[in-house]
Amino acid sequence: MISEYIKQSGESMAEPAGKNLIAVCGKGGTGKTASTAMMARTLYESGRAGKLLLIDADPAMGLLSALGQNVKRTMGQIREKIIKTAQKGEKEEKARLGDMIDYMVFEALTEMDEYALLAMGRTETLGCFCPVNTLLRSAVETLSQSFDTILIDGEAGLEQINRQVVRQLDILLIISDPTSRGIETADLIKKMVMDDNVIKCEKLGLVYNRVRGSEDLLRQSAEKIGVSVTGFIPFDENIAAHDLVGKPITDLPADSPALVAYREIIEGIL
Ligand SMILES: Nc1ncnc2c1ncn2[C@@H]1O[C@H](COP(=O)(O)OP(=O)(O)OP(=O)(O)O)[C@@H](O)[C@H]1O
Ligand SMILES: [Mg+2]
């Protein structure tokens, strides 16, 4: 069923630039969600992203408001249903669970013209349900295969993406603000990838967000931790203004400085 998913708006699109699985991570509050929303807009406006899937992997689900969207069901709710059925369900129902999972994940997918959206949400039932997580992750991985570009808004740590979403990325973008704590977290994330193999990824890049001052100093800090700088995103008054009145970040004016900077980053990636 998942592989039958076909995006309707393909006619006016340029050729997709090949498969890209991109995740965004970084210290809390550095602008991961705003960045994901701006990249999402840039991707679907570029016409080169092909079929685009956005995954909100943060339990707080900030990406939904940054996009001005909602979802009927989260993956967390599906996980609950599976755990309850596995614990209390009839024998027959339990036996069918494996077959039902792909379908349930498909039900959590919200499809729009520009992109499809999946929210991981939070899980209520505490404890380790590794077999359930593995089944769900493999369903998300299968679903991802039907898309050309997948963009994930994550948390600071990468374990949650690896445990619940995907085990392999093409690009991991670490968002940092121009503070030493942001860069320290970027360093920790780099070590998680390079030394601890928390997740596999082809390319690692650092994006400085809310930049107001010298780029040279920031570049030097990135050099010290051995991560290349993918881009500098200026502090953008429009983002603050949109946040204040709860307007989606994706509705920023087309010439908004941060959006313009993300357009360049995406051009470099695609
Ligand atoms: N380039 C920018 N210019 C101005 N304000 C920005 C910029 N990027 C993000 N912000 C603001 O910074 C705050 C944090 O952004 P955001 O919620 O995207 O961070 P986050 O890393 O996703 O946070 P969390 O760790 O809580 O998920 C928000 O108020 C957002 O509007
Ligand atoms: Mg966020």
Side-chain angles (χ1 to χ4, degrees):
M1 152 157 321
I2 288 168
S3 54
E4 282 166 18
Y5 173 74
I6 294 167
K7 190 162 182 258
Q8 300 299 319
S9 64
E11 279 166 33
S12 59
M13 288 190 142
E15 270 298 295
K19 198 149 188 108
N20 262 314
L21 221 158
I22 309 163
V24 173
C25 65
K27 183 177 85 70
T30 48
K32 299 179 289 295
T33 300
S35 298
T36 308
M38 287 186 275
M39 283 194 278
R41 168 154 166 204
T42 304
L43 279 165
Y44 61 71
E45 284 183 349
S46 77
R48 295 179 59 218
K51 278 162 47 184
L52 174 64
L53 172 65
L54 306 179
I55 302 181
D56 190 348
D58 182 349
M61 297 198 292
L63 184 62
L64 300 187
S65 32
L67 298 168
Q69 300 292 348
N70 223 325
V71 292
K72 298 183 294 289
R73 216 168 268 114
T74 68
M75 289 294 291
Q77 287 166 334
I78 288 171
R79 184 175 177 269
E80 292 297 304
K81 205 168 150 190
I82 293 168
I83 292 169
K84 287 211 173 82
T85 310
Q87 284 172 337
K88 297 189 191 123
E90 297 295 319
K91 217 173 170 186
E92 222 174 87
E93 216 179 355
K94 283 186 200 171
R96 280 181 32 236
L97 257 183
D99 300 333
M100 282 163 60
I101 286 182
D102 268 2
Y103 177 75
M104 286 162 110
V105 172
F106 188 73
E107 274 196 323
L109 190 74
T110 304
E111 300 165 47
M112 280 149 290
D113 282 347
E114 292 99 345
Y115 55 84
L117 182 59
L118 197 63
M120 302 311 290
R122 63 180 77 250
T123 46
E124 308 293 330
T125 315
L126 293 176
C128 178
F129 293 94
C130 297
V132 177
N133 286 343
T134 305
L135 278 172
L136 284 174
R137 184 187 56 199
S138 95
V140 173
E141 285 176 334
T142 308
L143 176 74
S144 302
Q145 282 164 15
S146 311
F147 290 86
D148 303 297
T149 307
I150 300 117
L151 183 60
I152 304 167
D153 179 19
E155 294 178 296
L158 299 168
E159 289 93 347
Q160 190 257 3
I161 290 185
N162 184 49
R163 204 170 54 238
Q164 297 190 353
V165 193
V166 285
R167 285 163 295 176
Q168 200 154 348
L169 298 166
D170 295 307
I171 303 170
L172 181 64
L173 286 181
I174 309 173
I175 313 291
S176 177
D177 48 14
T179 66
S180 56
R181 281 207 46 225
I183 296 157
E184 277 161 24
T185 306
D187 192 22
L188 285 176
I189 291 171
K190 183 202 137 192
K191 286 175 180 146
M192 276 186 205
V193 175
M194 306 293 230
D195 306 339
D196 308 333
N197 296 313
V198 173
I199 201 160
K200 284 201 185 81
C201 86
E202 293 284 320
K203 277 192 225 156
L204 196 67
L206 181 64
V207 174
Y208 279 112
N209 186 33
R210 286 199 300 253
V211 174
R212 295 193 213 233
S214 153
E215 293 184 0
D216 288 346
L217 275 176
L218 297 175
R219 218 181 272 282
Q220 282 166 23
S221 302
E223 262 169 36
K224 274 190 203 145
I225 62 163
V227 182
S228 62
V229 180
T230 305
F232 297 93
I233 311 300
F235 182 92
D236 189 333
E237 296 291 351
N238 293 334
I239 298 181
H242 274 238
D243 248 3
L244 192 64
V245 293
K247 244 173 142 183
I249 301 291
T250 38
D251 289 354
L252 283 172
D255 60 354
S256 217
L259 191 59
V260 171
Y262 265 114
R263 215 169 277 141
E264 261 178 49
I265 289 184
I266 289 299
E267 268 166 28
I269 287 175
L270 288 181

